[in-house]
């Protein structure tokens, strides 16, 4: 259930912009959680903005040291090392993250599954694949995947993976959660505007200097020089899951790098799914799930979340939007 960095473009963002009331806008790019983060803060002066960017970085690093599945000693690493052996006591924060992920698994019937981390990497999207993996290899690749084998105990705050070799990972929601937390921290410290962009899992609040909203362009997956739409955001989040750079084709069928955790086969039918709403964590879970579910089932899922909007682009260029999306879109991109 891997997810590429979405193409979300911040329109007309400058690194430092002064206005009459002495506000400045500053942006810094850093590598955290194995991905690029772009942190933008509007503050009274440059040093204040830099100090608050440092605070966001520290918060994201703290989260990484809780939920990384590749760093030794994190709570998630301990859960994975004790799969099939014993339950692991975790912090309330990690317990609630796992609990929310399992809820997503239930409402999507497993199209979303944090135990995808145990999936064998038999699909390659670097141009080296010359033929389809065998049906047996595909079936075996997901043998250790299955959210129903994750056991939570709220009384002891423990997580137990029932099968040896099982693993969980927050590749589909962790960066969105970090973006949400960075925004919440800044709001609690009185910072009135900014963006935490976690490789495309983007949380905004307030507005930039000299503008009424943050302008975010959604890249056309068939032509990166143009946009599917330009969003005007205040306190919102937006994520895009897409397959237009990492895919393979066999017998005229396009197979995306986002893998269905139930079947082991790559998702087909959609080239991108963008979700807009209050939480980047939730939007990320929805966009990833929709890529696996496809347009019909994906739209049925979206109907359960009226605070969230979506824009889907199919492999053949059709553009589909949820009923509550009021912006202008082309009906077809190619």
């Amino acid at each position: 259930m891997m997810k590429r960095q979405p193409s979300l473009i911040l329109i007309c963002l400058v690194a430092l912009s002064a206005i009459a009331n002495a506000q400045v806008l500053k942006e810094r790019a850093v590598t955290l959680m194995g991905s690029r983060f772009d942190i933008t803060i509007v503050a009274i002066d440059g040093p204040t903005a830099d100090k608050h960017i440092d605070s966001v970085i520290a918060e994201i690093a703290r989260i990484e040291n809780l939920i990384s599945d590749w760093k030794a000693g994190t709570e998630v690493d301990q859960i994975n090392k004790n799969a099939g052996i014993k339950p692991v006591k975790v912090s309330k924060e990690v317990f609630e993250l796992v609990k929310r992920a399992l809820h997503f698994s239930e409402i999507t019937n497993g199209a979303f599954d944090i135990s995808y981390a145990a999936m064998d990497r038999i699909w390659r999207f670097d141009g080296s694949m010359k033929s389809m993996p065998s049906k047996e290899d595909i079936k075996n690749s997901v043998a250790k995947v299955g959210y129903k084998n994750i056991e939570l105990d709220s009384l002891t705050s423990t997580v137990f993976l029932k099968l040896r070799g099982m693993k969980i990972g927050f590749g589909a929601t962790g960066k969105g959660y970090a973006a949400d937390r960075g925004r919440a921290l800044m709001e609690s410290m009185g910072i009135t505007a900014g963006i935490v962009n976690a490789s495309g899992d983007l949380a905004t609040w307030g507005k930039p200097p000299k503008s009424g909203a943050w302008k975010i362009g959604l890249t056309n997956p068939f032509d990166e020089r143009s946009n599917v739409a330009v969003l005007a955001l205040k306190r919102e989040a937006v994520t895009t899951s897409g397959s237009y750079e990492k895919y393979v084709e066999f017998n005229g069928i396009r197979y995306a790098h986002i893998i269905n955790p139930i079947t082991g086969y790559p998702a087909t039918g959609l080239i991108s799914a963008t979700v807009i709403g209050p939480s980047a964590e939730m939007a990320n879970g929805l966009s990833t799930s929709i890529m696996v579910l496809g347009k019909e089932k994906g739209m049925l899922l979206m109907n359960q979340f009226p605070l969230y909007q979506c824009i889907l682009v199919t492999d053949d260029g059709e553009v589909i939007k949820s009923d509550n999306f009021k912006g202008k879109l082309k009906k077809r991109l190619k």
Side-chain angles (χ1 to χ4, degrees), residues 1-283:
M1 206 160 54
M2 296 178 294
K3 183 172 182 286
R4 74 174 296 279
Q5 179 177 335
S7 293
L8 301 175
I9 301 173
L10 183 58
I11 305 296
C12 298
L13 178 64
V14 294
L16 178 61
S17 176
I19 59 175
N21 63 2
Q23 278 190 319
V24 298
L25 180 153
K26 294 199 74 173
E27 180 186 22
R28 191 188 309 169
V30 293
T31 299
L32 294 160
M33 302 176 76
S35 300
R36 173 173 167 150
F37 277 67
D38 293 278
I39 302 162
T40 303
I41 295 293
V42 178
I44 58 172
D45 55 42
T48 300
D50 281 329
K51 181 182 72 172
H52 286 94
I53 290 174
D54 289 341
S55 296
V56 175
I57 291 171
E59 173 67 357
I60 296 167
R62 182 192 69 80
I63 293 168
E64 180 177 10
N65 288 328
L66 280 178
I67 69 172
S68 171
D69 61 332
W70 57 270
K71 274 190 170 184
T74 69
E75 291 188 15
V76 169
D77 177 58
Q78 292 302 309
I79 292 169
N80 293 342
K81 284 181 177 177
N82 285 282
I85 300 172
K86 65 178 182 178
V88 174
K89 186 175 179 61
V90 298
S91 61
K92 180 180 179 182
E93 185 174 11
V94 170
F95 187 89
E96 292 299 325
L97 270 167
V98 176
K99 184 178 178 180
R100 289 196 297 272
L102 290 182
H103 175 65
F104 246 113
S105 298
E106 290 164 358
I107 64 175
T108 62
N109 292 316
F112 179 95
D113 196 326
I114 60 167
S115 66
Y116 82 96
M119 191 184 301
D120 292 336
R121 305 296 191 256
I122 61 171
W123 296 88
R124 299 186 304 278
F125 302 93
D126 57 3
S128 64
M129 286 190 74
K130 304 303 179 186
S131 62
M132 288 272 290
S134 70
K135 290 182 179 180
E136 183 178 2
D137 285 344
I138 293 171
K139 180 180 178 180
N140 291 338
S141 72
V142 292
K144 300 295 184 181
V145 178
Y147 71 94
K148 292 183 179 179
N149 287 314
I150 301 174
E151 189 175 90
L152 302 184
D153 188 329
S154 58
L155 293 178
T156 58
S157 190
T158 57
V159 180
F160 180 44
L161 309 184
K162 295 180 182 180
L163 304 179
R164 285 184 178 269
M166 279 190 74
K167 294 179 181 179
I168 63 171
F170 287 97
T173 57
K175 289 188 289 292
Y177 174 69
D180 287 340
R181 289 296 309 146
R183 175 177 62 183
L185 176 65
M186 289 298 93
E187 289 177 322
S188 73
M189 297 174 73
I191 295 298
T192 59
I195 301 176
V196 182
N197 181 355
S199 291
D201 294 349
L202 187 148
T204 67
W205 73 102
K207 59 184 180 179
K210 296 185 178 181
S211 178
W214 299 102
K215 301 294 179 67
I216 306 297
L218 304 181
T219 300
N220 179 344
F222 300 103
D223 181 1
E224 294 190 358
R225 297 168 297 179
S226 64
N227 294 317
V228 176
V230 176
L231 307 176
L233 306 179
K234 291 184 179 178
R235 193 188 190 282
E236 293 173 272
V238 56
T239 71
T240 295
S241 296
S243 64
Y244 42 93
E245 289 184 351
K246 294 182 179 180
Y247 64 92
V248 292
E249 287 188 6
F250 296 118
N251 300 320
I253 300 175
R254 178 190 182 101
Y255 295 94
H257 80 287
I258 297 175
I259 309 296
N260 185 326
I262 303 169
T263 66
Y265 282 85
T268 59
L270 293 176
I271 196 169
S272 70
T274 297
V275 175
I276 308 113
S279 162
E281 178 191 356
M282 177 71 76

